[in-house]
Amino acid sequence: MPIFKNPNFDFLKWRWPAVSLSVLIILLGAGAMAVQGGLALGIDFSGGTIVIVQFDGPITEDAVRGAIGGAVGESVVQQYGAADENEILIRLPQSGPEQGTSLEEGANAVVAALERSTLGAFTVVGQELVGPVIGQELQRRGVYAFLFAMLGILVYIGFRFRFSFAVGAIIAVAHDILVTLAMLTFFGFDLSLNVVAAMLTITGYSVNDSIVVFDRVRENMRKMRRDAFGKLVNASINQTLSRTIITSGTTVFAVLALFVFGGEVLSGFAFTMLVGVISGTYSTIFIAAAAAIVISERRAARRAQA
């Protein structure tokens, strides 16, 4: 394909429009979170009860909601899996003490209400009980994992390349996480352990993509000493473009298959990975490079004034 033969696109020409687009998406995501009262947390972090039931015949969410409404109070009822599987997920928020008695009572109340209803035969195919203390501990560990990953990335790239590259990579990763959170909010996905695992995977993917470009920049610094730093970075992005597109494209196809065929359990993980891979490729070309150039030019200007 012609795009892979000596490409010479002026990516840096579009860096500020790209940054503006990213800021717009992030701000819209933050606004959506504010409207709905924060990021929707899955049961892993918020605590509560999830009961998944499979009916013998077709069923609607409204019918199940009406059957259990008087018995359990506040609840979330939604279709689970493919429509022809007749599975319904019922989620009850944590409302009692941390120990499992209130959680178990909520699950039992759901089953009892469905048994008294006229919705027909059903089978409980899944059940999760998570107390609030466990949920808070998982939140804390998720934050620590992300912070330690960021610190490790900063130190590694700072020593291997230069400080401006490390900051550019961190900004790109932060961009990918914020864009992914915005997309999760737009499409109604909860923040669960699977989603956090996908975000940590995105972090590694994004940094690896940036390192490929930065490594080529370091090589070209010896060959293109007289060229401006921005021109050097743009040439490096073009030289690694083939690798970037092939790697990202194959990863997107694999994750897309997981999203389409992986079922409800893996949908949040697969969607997060899908958004993260696309965002990571975009941020490597526009965000990381732009940040590295701005920081390098400012440091060079300070040295010239000293």
Side-chain angles (χ1 to χ4, degrees):
M1 294 178 62
I3 190 174
F4 297 128
K5 295 179 180 179
N6 301 319
N8 189 29
F9 302 107
D10 189 2
F11 291 109
L12 297 185
K13 175 183 178 181
W14 301 100
R15 56 179 172 172
W16 296 122
V19 170
S20 300
L21 175 62
S22 297
V23 171
L24 177 62
I25 293 174
I26 292 170
L27 290 178
L28 289 175
M33 290 182 202
V35 168
Q36 69 180 24
L39 184 65
L41 298 179
I43 191 173
D44 300 324
F45 296 127
S46 63
T49 304
I50 284 182
V51 180
I52 302 171
V53 294
Q54 184 177 39
F55 290 85
D56 290 349
I59 193 70
T60 65
E61 297 174 2
D62 289 338
V64 174
R65 195 175 291 114
I68 67 173
V72 299
E74 182 183 357
S75 63
V76 175
V77 179
Q78 62 189 64
Q79 181 181 308
Y80 187 81
D84 58 355
E85 294 178 352
N86 303 320
E87 291 184 351
I88 295 291
L89 181 147
I90 303 164
R91 174 175 171 177
L92 309 177
Q94 170 67 27
S95 59
E98 188 273 331
Q99 300 301 324
T101 54
S102 63
L103 298 172
E104 189 70 36
E105 288 172 358
N108 293 338
V110 167
V111 174
L114 292 176
E115 288 175 344
R116 293 193 301 268
S117 71
T118 58
L119 299 180
F122 67 90
T123 303
V124 178
V125 296
Q127 183 172 303
E128 293 183 43
L129 309 174
V130 179
V133 172
I134 296 175
Q136 292 172 6
E137 179 65 18
L138 292 174
Q139 286 186 52
R140 193 158 45 245
R141 292 188 179 187
V143 172
Y144 289 161
F146 181 73
L147 292 178
F148 283 134
M150 293 297 100
L151 179 61
I153 291 168
L154 184 66
V155 172
Y156 171 73
I157 299 181
F159 274 107
R160 181 174 176 181
F161 298 100
R162 55 166 65 179
F163 179 75
S164 60
F165 289 179
V167 174
I170 293 295
I171 292 174
V173 169
H175 161 274
D176 297 339
I177 296 299
L178 292 175
V179 168
T180 302
L181 288 175
M183 290 300 175
L184 289 171
T185 303
F186 295 152
F187 288 91
F189 286 92
D190 294 341
L191 183 65
S192 64
L193 283 178
N194 283 345
V195 170
V196 171
M199 287 185 175
L200 291 174
T201 306
I202 290 168
T203 299
Y205 182 91
S206 178
V207 170
N208 179 69
D209 223 13
S210 299
I211 285 177
V212 171
V213 175
F214 291 158
D215 196 47
R216 184 58 59 90
V217 170
R218 184 173 59 178
E219 293 176 3
N220 287 335
M221 288 177 71
R222 294 189 288 265
K223 302 175 183 178
M224 304 169 62
R225 296 180 180 178
R226 297 182 179 180
D227 292 313
F229 188 64
K231 182 179 179 181
L232 187 153
V233 171
N234 196 70
S236 301
I237 294 174
N238 277 282
Q239 290 167 11
T240 57
L241 185 62
S242 175
R243 183 264 182 201
T244 299
I245 292 178
I246 292 173
T247 303
S248 300
T250 53
T251 305
V252 164
F253 284 133
V255 175
L256 184 60
L258 187 64
F259 179 71
V260 174
F261 302 108
E264 192 75 22
V265 174
L266 294 177
S267 62
F269 176 87
F271 179 82
T272 305
M273 284 292 298
L274 188 62
V275 173
V277 170
I278 296 173
S279 176
T281 304
Y282 169 87
S283 67
T284 295
I285 295 174
F286 294 107
I287 308 301
I293 291 172
V294 170
I295 295 171
S296 295
E297 289 177 347
R298 288 183 177 178
R299 295 183 70 182
R302 291 196 196 101
R303 286 195 297 268
Q305 293 175 357

